[in-house]
Amino acid sequence: MGLDHSHPQMFPGDIVEYPRNKYFSHFAVYYGERDGVPYVAHLTCRDSDAKLPLFGRALRSEVKLDPLDMLGKKYKVSNMLDDSFPARDFHTVVKPAIDDMLGREVTFDILFHNSEHQATLLRYGMKRSEQIETIYKYIMPAWKKLFADKKL
């Protein structure tokens, strides 16, 4: 994937990318250190018991705080939208939002919310997933008729 995994210097609020395969990565937000241990806030994903997905897969999820290395030894800082959007202040906006979400369970459709969406929502205040956007072009044609027939 051409990723450099040299354990870069991170600052609270940075997006951390953990590559999973050649198409997808798991994303987290660097939370800072507690007792000398670096932590990240990330969105966990498990299949949901609810049967409400319109597209993709319904997932049951929650935001968790875990040690940085628990999610993987290979990672990089990936503040991919810094050129387009200002990062929100970590201590007054991002950290309180993470603290408020910890442990709350959420059910969602994977195409409309995933770890990359959650990380960009926390850092920039808006949801954006470059990985999911690359597959929309294959999904949208299948939805056109359903949208036209007002079945979605």
Side-chain angles (χ1 to χ4, degrees), residues 76-93:
K76 70 174 188 167
V77 172
S78 186
N79 296 326
M80 69 283 276
L81 301 178
D82 276 3
D83 292 338
S84 305
F85 299 95
R88 301 186 317 162
D89 183 70
F90 179 78
H91 295 287
T92 60
V93 179

Side-chain angles (χ1 to χ4, degrees), residues 98-118:
I98 291 170
D99 292 341
D100 186 54
M101 291 186 301
L102 288 175
R104 286 192 188 175
E105 206 168 272
V106 181
T107 299
F108 62 89
D109 191 295
I110 192 170
L111 292 180
F112 298 112
H113 197 78
N114 57 50
S115 65
E116 190 176 10
H117 281 139
Q118 186 66 53

